[in-house]
Amino acid sequence: MALRIGIDTGGTFTDLVGYDDEANAFVYGKQSSTPHRPANALAAVLTEAGAGERPVHSVVLGTTVATNAVLTRRGARVCFVTTAGFEDVPYIGRLDKEELYNLHWQKPEPLVARRDCIGVEERVAHTGEVLTPLDDAKLGELTAFIAHRLNGKGGDLAVAVSLLFSYLAPEHERRIKAALQQAFPDLSISVSHEIAPTWREYERSSTTIGDAYVKPVLRGYVAGVRDTLDKLGVQAPASMLKSNGGHLLVEQADAQPAQFLLSGLAGGIVAARHYARVAGLENAFSLDMGGTSADIGTIQAGRERYVAEFNVGFGIPVTVPCVDVATLGAGGGSIAWIDKGGLLQVGPRSAGAEPGPMCYGRGGTEPTITDANLALGRLNPAYFLGGRVPLDPAPALPALARLGQALGAPEADAVEVAAHAIVETANENMANQIKLISVDRGLDTREFALIPFGGAGPTAASACARLLGISTVLVPPHPGLCSAFGALAANWRVDRVWTVFGRSTNLNVASIAERLEALTAEAIQELRDDGFTGEPVILRSVDMRYAGQNYEREVSLPEGPFTAATAGEMVGRFAKAHDEFYGFSLEGEPVEFVNLRIVAIGPSDLSATSTPIAADGTPEPIAKRPVAFRGTGFVPTPIYRRESLPSGFALDGPAIIEEPDSTTVVHPGDTLRVRPDGLMELTVGR
């Protein structure tokens, strides 16, 4: 009986979720990651799941290897080739700041050194007309420049080519790529018209540089994956999870590295969408709270929200479609500290995995959220990560006491006061981030459910939901493995985007219609190449704006051919979308059509969430222990193991539900019910 396998390669753990269609059963695996040799952890987790001993249908991997290469600056040395006169574009960048009022904030350096930027004498106009041809002599000069930079170290160098307006006339980029490939067959080359065929030269250049920067790293990762699968005898198709929540065969992945810069975050959002669909929910916020950060995603009308651009570390924009995720420094290892104004802060500094929270006993010196939850009795010191990491509350108690006294608490209550303050501050930070998302998009949080996962998500979920006016919380099975489940449940998905700048007053309808057909055909063909054989879902849209505006709104296209009548209908749709977002529209003003977008989706047929569970039995708590809640102090609280809870089981809070990779806290006034699909539904009391 063949397994379908999803794997998430994180910085701390490598997780696996496998599903056997015939047996309708799941298998799980969790191993410590090996960042310097990811293939070792991959082999260990596949062996744990028995993948080498039974047939495997498919493998999909989500990974942070590309993201980490950028964040830790461990990618390739990049040579940036651009139109002469534009060599400084990566350094000029944009005027925005990550910290608006911080006068000492330093913008991150680009992923290319200025001495490795070279301009080529060629020029294309904004109309696509060639103003300065690219001659062979200039190609020879470029080849000599690259040869000098290589200096016998081909594996350490990658080339990014981003010429002005190449998305309109890519011939010069094609000639440069061909000349360099002929001169240096093993050289990694990224060209902007293949990576990001859109306008705005800084964003397009940054994306192409990022693609080149991580290409050798991703190539090594892919080689390790393939070698590991071969050694284990796993001959099934293997794919990698893309930033857009789709997946691509590993054999093709190293040709599109920029598509994987948010691979590690996409899995959780995909999993949340799957759970929301199974539960019949249209709208939900996902809360992935791990050891260092909390990632928040949005499910609307049953689909993940997407953005056309994201930043990998502030100042490095990447213009490829990706799941819309907001990240803040609120994880189990986030450190609590008092600022100069005497206010309690939690995060963004983190104790990380080493030394970790003080209760790990590995030398941590500052209290964290995990230390606070342990002091409040919400975590079992003998069952953290299923008992793999024993916890000791004693080292953190003096630090918590000092923190509590600094906040004005009497000595006798200082530990409890500090622990509550730490947990509640983190909860407020996460709830405020969701509120900001809601206000920005005009959403009412009371119409949404909350889907928490990650090791710490279910511990904070009820309190966060209460702050947001959310009444329903869905806790997935094995919350700590949700990103791996998302890789397993991911759809096939291909995004295509192309800039076709034109105004409604003088629009080349035939050209747009032709480009839409070409983009659609390319997207469908990539789905077929990746192994999807069903009927794809095609979504089409156009980025539009009023003449003179600087940013666009994405407006969906109706089905059927693009005609003059369609263009007129799109102007009306844009006016409505503009009014809904900004509160006004400008009747009669020219409207600019900027980018065409095509999404081809091959829907996954996975409908299960967990191995079917028994529908009878009355489980007894395995123990009772004092757990502190705001307003009640420490109260005797029943402790349950999740695997013992049958379908239909319900209880009223307070209660603690433990499982190997997470802990769910049921507050007084809450009601918990185990659904037949394995999800735990928490109804939050007011």
Side-chain angles (χ1 to χ4, degrees):
M1 292 181 284
L3 280 177
R4 287 195 279 175
I5 292 175
I7 296 174
D8 176 60
T9 306
T12 305
F13 291 102
T14 295
D15 302 326
L16 178 149
V17 177
Y19 179 63
D20 186 326
D21 294 272
E22 294 183 29
N24 190 21
F26 283 83
V27 297
Y28 303 95
K30 195 177 192 74
Q31 295 287 328
S32 295
S33 291
T34 50
H36 297 295
R37 290 189 58 83
N40 291 353
L42 177 63
V45 79
L46 284 166
T47 301
E48 180 185 355
E53 303 170 1
R54 58 191 298 184
V56 175
H57 177 272
S58 61
V59 179
V60 180
L61 302 104
T63 178
T64 58
V65 64
T67 312
N68 291 340
V70 174
L71 295 178
T72 60
R73 300 299 175 111
R74 293 180 179 174
R77 179 181 180 181
V78 177
C79 279
F80 176 57
V81 181
T82 188
T83 302
F86 289 82
E87 299 91 337
D88 288 311
V89 162
Y91 279 82
I92 295 172
R94 298 190 296 212
L95 294 178
D96 53 349
K97 295 179 63 177
E98 182 178 26
E99 300 176 28
L100 187 60
Y101 300 107
N102 182 357
L103 300 179
H104 303 288
W105 178 78
Q106 295 291 320
K107 192 168 188 174
E109 290 290 321
L111 299 176
V112 59
R114 180 60 184 85
R115 66 182 180 277
D116 291 331
C117 299
I118 180 173
V120 177
E121 289 187 19
E122 65 80 45
R123 189 66 180 264
V124 173
H126 71 283
T127 60
E129 176 190 1
V130 176
L131 300 178
T132 303
L134 174 64
D135 60 42
D136 291 341
K138 300 304 178 186
L139 281 176
E141 292 175 7
L142 173 61
T143 302
F145 177 88
I146 300 300
H148 181 264
R149 287 295 187 269
L150 278 169
N151 194 26
K153 299 180 180 179
D156 298 329
L157 190 75
V159 175
V161 184
S162 181
L163 305 180
L164 208 62
F165 299 111
S166 59
Y167 56 87
L168 293 174
E171 182 57 29
H172 287 179
E173 285 195 354
R174 291 183 182 136
R175 288 183 60 197
I176 289 174
K177 181 178 181 181
L180 293 179
Q181 284 179 329
Q182 183 177 2
F184 316 106
D186 297 326
L187 183 64
S188 294
I189 305 170
S190 300
V191 290
S192 71
H193 75 272
E194 295 177 356
I195 306 302
T198 57
W199 73 339
R200 296 192 173 105
E201 64 268 20
Y202 169 58
E203 287 79 359
R204 183 159 48 89
S205 297
S206 176
T207 304
T208 309
I209 291 168
D211 186 271
Y213 187 77
V214 301
K215 186 172 285 187
V217 175
L218 196 68
R219 185 171 294 165
Y221 176 79
V222 166
V225 168
R226 195 70 268 174
D227 183 60
T228 298
L229 295 177
D230 289 343
K231 287 180 179 178
L232 291 175
V234 177
Q235 300 301 317
S239 302
M240 286 184 58
L241 191 67
K242 298 190 291 185
S243 301
N244 67 2
H247 51 85
L248 182 69
L249 289 171
V250 294
E251 290 80 6
Q252 303 170 21
D254 60 357
Q256 304 181 39
Q259 298 285 345
F260 303 98
L261 283 168
L262 280 189
S263 170
L265 296 181
I269 309 300
V270 171
R273 182 257 301 159
H274 179 88
Y275 294 129
R277 178 172 60 83
V278 168
L281 297 172
E282 288 287 298
N283 303 316
F285 292 111
S286 65
L287 175 61
D288 181 0
M289 187 178 180
T292 303
S293 63
D295 303 312
I296 297 163
T298 309
I299 312 297
Q300 275 186 272
R303 289 179 178 163
E304 310 95 312
R305 278 187 62 97
Y306 291 88
V307 292
E309 177 185 310
F310 62 94
N311 278 275
V312 184
F314 189 87
I316 305 173
V318 179
T319 55
V320 296
C322 66
V323 292
D324 188 4
V325 181
T327 300
L328 70 157
S334 293
I335 290 170
W337 52 287
I338 303 291
D339 66 16
K340 293 180 180 179
L343 298 177
L344 175 67
Q345 304 290 338
V346 179
R349 291 191 300 121
S350 173
E354 291 291 341
M358 298 180 72
C359 57
Y360 282 17
R362 299 174 184 167
T365 59
E366 298 175 280
T368 66
I369 295 174
T370 297
D371 294 311
N373 276 315
L374 185 62
L376 294 173
R378 298 178 183 182
L379 299 179
N380 183 346
Y383 198 65
F384 190 70
L385 290 179
R388 293 189 184 190
V389 180
L391 303 182
D392 181 6
L397 296 181
L400 288 170
R402 289 192 297 272
L403 195 66
Q405 291 174 39
L407 295 173
E411 184 177 352
D413 302 324
V415 170
E416 183 181 348
V417 167
H420 275 302
I422 292 170
V423 170
E424 290 169 2
T425 299
N427 292 341
E428 287 280 1
N429 289 343
M430 290 184 287
N432 285 338
Q433 183 65 57
I434 295 176
K435 289 176 183 177
L436 288 173
I437 293 171
S438 304
V439 170
D440 180 61
R441 298 169 188 165
L443 308 177
D444 186 343
T445 58
R446 295 170 297 181
E447 298 174 357
F448 282 68
L450 185 65
I451 303 178
F453 48 92
T459 306
S462 174
C464 284
R466 188 172 288 104
L467 292 169
L468 294 163
I470 291 175
S471 60
T472 300
V473 174
L474 286 180
V475 183
H478 292 277
L481 305 179
C482 265
S483 290
F485 182 89
L488 172 67
N491 295 326
W492 286 263
R493 179 182 170 114
V494 175
D495 287 78
R496 285 287 185 271
V497 58
W498 201 280
T499 294
V500 287
F501 189 80
R503 287 191 177 181
S504 56
T505 52
N506 186 26
L507 199 63
N508 190 333
V509 173
S511 175
I512 290 179
E514 181 181 352
R515 179 59 66 182
L516 282 170
E517 290 182 8
L519 291 175
T520 303
E522 290 173 10
I524 293 175
Q525 186 58 51
E526 185 170 325
L527 282 184
R528 300 302 184 208
D529 293 343
D530 202 33
F532 179 70
T533 57
E535 186 65 27
V537 176
I538 305 298
L539 306 176
R540 308 186 306 167
S541 61
V542 182
D543 294 347
M544 306 174 71
R545 68 184 193 178
Y546 285 119
Q549 288 184 318
N550 198 36
Y551 292 98
E552 305 82 40
R553 301 300 301 167
E554 184 178 351
V555 182
S556 62
L557 262 170
E559 295 183 359
F562 188 86
T563 63
T566 308
E569 182 181 345
M570 289 299 292
V571 171
R573 289 188 176 202
F574 168 71
K576 182 179 179 182
H578 194 281
D579 183 68
E580 289 175 350
F581 190 80
Y582 293 108
F584 70 96
S585 59
L586 302 173
E587 186 176 354
E589 284 292 316
V591 174
E592 294 175 341
F593 290 59
V594 180
N595 295 317
L596 303 179
R597 297 188 182 276
I598 297 292
V599 180
I601 300 173
S604 167
D605 61 355
L606 181 67
S607 58
T609 60
S610 67
T611 302
I613 55 179
D616 55 9
T618 305
E620 294 294 328
I622 61 168
K624 280 192 174 184
R625 69 169 179 260
V627 178
F629 300 94
R630 176 65 76 180
T632 66
F634 282 90
V635 295
T637 302
I639 314 299
Y640 293 87
R641 291 285 164 82
R642 183 167 183 172
E643 63 269 20
S644 71
L645 304 183
S647 172
F649 175 75
L651 59 79
D652 294 325
I656 299 291
I657 314 298
E658 297 178 347
E659 50 191 313
D661 47 79
S662 191
T663 298
T664 301
V665 177
V666 185
H667 286 250
D670 294 348
T671 300
L672 181 80
R673 178 175 69 91
V674 179
R675 296 168 48 97
D677 50 34
L679 296 166
M680 290 196 307
E681 183 174 334
L682 188 65
T683 301
V684 179
R686 298 298 178 189

